[in-house]
Amino acid sequence: ERHVRAAEAHTAAQAAIKAAQASCTPAHNSLGLPLEERLPPPPLLGAERLVAVRLRVDGAALSPPHPEAVFEDELLWNAGDTSLSPSDFAARAAEELSLPPPFAAAIAAELTAQVAAAEKAARAAAKAAAADASPVEVRWQAHRRGLELSDRLLWPPGGGGLTPEEYARQMARELRLPPDLQAAAALALRRETQGGAGAGTAAESDPPVRPER
């Protein structure tokens, strides 16, 4: 009987060791037990490619027309992030604002077109900068809640390691600017430099007021 108990104890110990050595995979926990649900892996992000976008879709120009509705928004779009497509963004925006069905496709098309145009301009600007590395003059203006901010500066090709967003953060810290004016400054400078610095004067105004429905 003593030998039988010893054998049973040995068998139990071997089973415990085997369980502890079980494979630990996304489908199993650290004890080797299967998980009921598996979380999807995080999306793989490409290089950050930020584009300042200002969208406006007039319902009167859609088919069928919806003259009672207008969609307007401004945002900083990361073209290197594939986890959210223009179509997904447009569908969510249309759903959140209860816009008629034709708006989703129109918003997605406008966003896609602006991002493509901005990236094409950025490639042309980079090519020009490679031929001439001289800084160029940039002027921009931003408005929020009756406050106006403007600046003129010499911007090096490619930013010289400084992004418009970082520049706006430093300026906001030095001038103690509110967050919304900092964001407006970053958008204005990003829009000005993404098409080739010195292309014109960018002006960021208060976000449009969406009509009540």
Side-chain angles (χ1 to χ4, degrees):
E1 183 178 355
R2 183 178 301 172
H3 291 292
V4 172
R5 290 181 179 177
E8 291 177 349
H10 178 73
T11 301
Q14 291 296 323
I17 294 174
K18 184 178 181 180
Q21 295 175 344
S23 176
C24 180
T25 70
H28 299 77
N29 61 18
S30 58
L31 296 178
L33 300 177
L35 299 175
E36 295 182 359
E37 296 182 359
R38 280 183 287 179
L39 296 177
L44 297 177
L45 303 182
E48 189 175 62
R49 306 199 313 272
L50 300 180
V51 178
V53 176
R54 174 173 286 177
L55 300 173
R56 188 180 193 279
V57 176
D58 189 348
L62 299 180
S63 181
H66 294 274
E68 77 286 355
V70 176
F71 173 82
E72 295 181 284
D73 198 6
E74 55 182 347
L75 61 141
L76 198 59
W77 183 263
N78 183 6
D81 183 358
T82 59
S83 63
L84 181 67
S85 68
S87 296
D88 292 337
F89 170 83
R92 294 182 187 180
E95 181 180 1
E96 291 175 358
L97 297 175
S98 300
L99 295 172
F103 270 86
I107 294 171
E110 180 66 18
L111 176 56
T112 300
Q114 288 199 31
V115 170
E119 293 210 293
K120 181 179 179 180
R123 288 193 294 270
K127 185 176 180 180
D132 182 8
S134 303
V136 294
E137 182 178 292
V138 174
R139 294 175 297 162
W140 56 268
Q141 295 177 344
H143 305 270
R144 283 294 187 274
R145 297 179 290 106
L147 300 175
E148 179 178 335
L149 184 67
S150 62
D151 199 4
R152 183 175 63 178
L153 63 148
L154 290 177
W155 190 259
L162 182 67
T163 65
E165 293 71 37
E166 180 58 32
Y167 175 85
R169 277 192 292 268
Q170 293 181 9
M171 182 175 58
R173 185 167 53 248
E174 293 173 359
L175 301 179
R176 299 182 179 180
L177 300 177
D180 57 343
L181 196 54
Q182 173 187 327
L187 279 169
L189 184 55
R190 170 67 65 176
R191 180 174 288 109
E192 177 70 7
T193 57
Q194 72 188 12
T201 300
E204 283 298 325
S205 58
D206 288 305
V209 178
R210 297 187 176 93
E212 295 182 358
R213 290 169 173 70

